[in-house]
Amino acid sequence: MHIIITDAWLARRQALHLNGWKLIAVAVLAVLGLMFGAVATYHWVFLEGIRQGWPGFASVARLVHRDDPGQRDAYLRANLDAMARKLGEMQARMMQIDSLGERVAGLAGLEPAQARPPLPGSGGVLVSNRSLTLEELAREMEAADAGSGARVDWLTAIESRLFDQKIQSTLIPTEKPVADGRVGSGFGFRIDPINGQSALHTGLDFPAETGTPIVAAAGGVVIAQEYHAAYGNLVEIDHGNDLVTRYAHTSKVFVKKGDIVKRGQKIAEVGSTGRSTGPHLHFEVWVAGVPQNPQKFLQAGETLARSPPGPNAPRTR
C-alpha cells in the first residue's frame, strides 16, 4: 500500500510505503489506543458520576463493587480472633502485675487480706475453645479496662504507703550525731562529776574536740535554739510523733528556731558551754516527754546499715 502525503504550504510531498506487517502493527496500535481511551473515559465518567451523585450511578457502583459475604465474614473473624489473642495477652500481663503488686504490698507491711482487694477483670486469662462473638469480646475488653483502672488505684495506694514509711524512717534518730564519736558517758544513773551525787544521766556524751561537726540524727523542725544554764548552747529538733532530740554544750550553732533540717545536716559544733567539764556533745532522745536511751536508736541505725541489701531490707536513708 502506498500513501502519499502532500503539504500545500511547502509544496512538497512525502510517500509512505506500508506492507502487510506494517498494516497489522498500525491496526493493533489503533485498537489498543481505542481500548485505553475507552477505559480512561469510563473510569473518569464512573468516578465523577459517583462523586457528583448522578442518577443511576449509585446502584451501578453497588453492583460492580458487591462484596462477597463469605470473604467479608472470614475477614471479620480473623480480626476478632487476633483481638481476642491480644486481649488474652493483656489479661496475662495484668495477672503478672497482680503478683508483683502483692509482693510489693508485703514489703509495705500490708496484711495478706489487704494486699489484694477484689479487682474487676482478674478472673483469669481469656481461654476458649470457640471463637468469641463481637459482643463477648466487647464485654471482655470493658472488664479489662475497668480492671486496669482498679489496679492503678491499688498500686497508687501501695506507693503512698511505701512513701509514708520512707518519710517516717527518715524521722527516726538513728544517725550518729558525731561521726566516729565514741560514747564517754552512757544513759542511766551515775555519779554527777560536778556535785558527786547520784543522778540520772538522760542522754549520751560524745567526747570530741571543740569545733567537731554535730549533725542532725534525723530530719525534723528546730523547736528550740537557746542558751540554757545547764545545757549551754542548746538545739532541740522535733521529729513528729512526740519524738524530740536534744543537742547540748555546743560552741557554735548553725540553725535557728523554725528551720527544717535533714538527716545528717550539720547543725552545730562541739563545745563546752553550760554545765560541762570538757568539750563534748550531750545528746538526748525524748518520746512523749520521757527521756529514752539514745543508744537503742543508734544501734538500730547501725544494724540497718550493716544489713545486706535485698527486697526485704528496710532503709533509713
Side-chain angles (χ1 to χ4, degrees):
M1 176 183 288
H2 299 278
I3 299 176
I4 300 175
I5 301 174
T6 62
D7 189 341
W9 295 95
L10 300 177
R12 66 180 185 180
R13 63 185 180 182
Q14 185 174 0
L16 296 177
H17 302 280
L18 301 176
N19 55 22
W21 292 107
K22 290 181 178 181
L23 286 175
I24 294 173
V26 170
V28 170
L29 291 176
V31 171
L32 291 176
L34 289 174
M35 291 176 58
F36 284 118
V39 170
T41 302
Y42 163 78
H43 186 70
W44 180 83
V45 171
F46 186 81
L47 293 181
E48 192 68 14
I50 295 175
R51 189 180 298 111
Q52 299 295 334
W54 293 347
F57 277 83
S59 58
V60 174
R62 285 194 295 269
L63 290 174
V64 173
H65 296 283
R66 182 172 53 192
D67 293 335
D68 184 358
Q71 293 180 352
R72 181 178 58 189
D73 291 344
Y75 175 79
L76 292 176
R77 174 50 53 197
N79 280 272
L80 286 175
D81 292 342
M83 292 176 64
R85 286 193 296 271
K86 281 293 184 183
L87 180 59
E89 294 174 0
M90 291 173 57
Q91 290 176 331
R93 284 291 179 87
M94 285 193 291
M95 292 183 66
Q96 293 176 352
I97 293 174
D98 291 346
S99 178
L100 177 61
E102 290 177 2
R103 294 196 296 271
V104 176
L107 296 178
L110 295 176
E111 296 296 331
Q114 301 174 336
R116 185 170 181 247
L119 298 175
S122 59
V125 182
L126 182 65
V127 178
S128 178
N129 294 327
R130 62 178 179 83
S131 298
L132 296 179
T133 64
L134 184 59
E135 292 77 11
E136 291 173 333
L137 184 60
R139 286 196 299 270
E140 291 291 341
M141 293 183 67
E142 289 177 0
D145 181 65
S148 62
R151 284 167 176 81
V152 169
D153 296 338
W154 175 46
L155 293 175
T156 301
I158 296 175
E159 180 189 30
S160 177
R161 178 68 174 268
L162 289 172
F163 181 73
D164 181 66
Q165 290 180 357
K166 182 178 180 180
I167 293 297
Q168 291 297 327
S169 67
T170 63
L171 303 180
I172 304 299
T174 55
E175 180 89 4
K176 185 177 289 188
V178 178
D180 300 326
R182 63 178 180 85
V183 177
S185 181
F187 178 89
F189 284 92
R190 66 168 186 174
I191 301 299
D192 190 288
I194 294 179
N195 59 28
Q197 297 179 358
S198 176
L200 175 63
H201 188 235
T202 56
L204 298 180
D205 288 343
F206 294 91
E209 296 182 359
T210 300
T212 301
I214 300 172
V215 300
V221 179
V222 178
I223 58 174
Q225 189 276 301
E226 58 190 12
Y227 184 86
H228 189 277
Y231 288 106
N233 291 327
L234 172 69
V235 176
E236 285 188 358
I237 300 178
D238 186 353
H239 307 284
N241 297 323
D242 292 328
L243 196 154
V244 175
T245 53
R246 182 176 294 173
Y247 310 79
H249 308 309
T250 65
S251 59
K252 292 182 180 179
V253 177
F254 303 101
V255 294
K256 62 182 182 299
K257 184 177 180 179
D259 286 352
I260 298 175
V261 297
K262 299 180 180 178
R263 172 190 296 272
Q265 177 180 335
K266 182 179 178 181
I267 59 174
E269 290 180 354
V270 171
S272 185
T273 58
R275 192 171 181 271
S276 171
T277 58
H280 70 284
L281 167 67
H282 176 76
F283 175 62
E284 296 181 356
V285 176
W286 292 70
V287 177
V290 179
Q292 305 292 322
N293 185 357
Q295 192 67 44
K296 295 187 296 183
F297 294 89
L298 300 181
Q299 287 176 350
E302 294 175 356
T303 301
L304 292 177
R306 291 193 300 266
S307 298
N312 296 321
R315 299 183 179 182
T316 59
R317 300 194 185 190

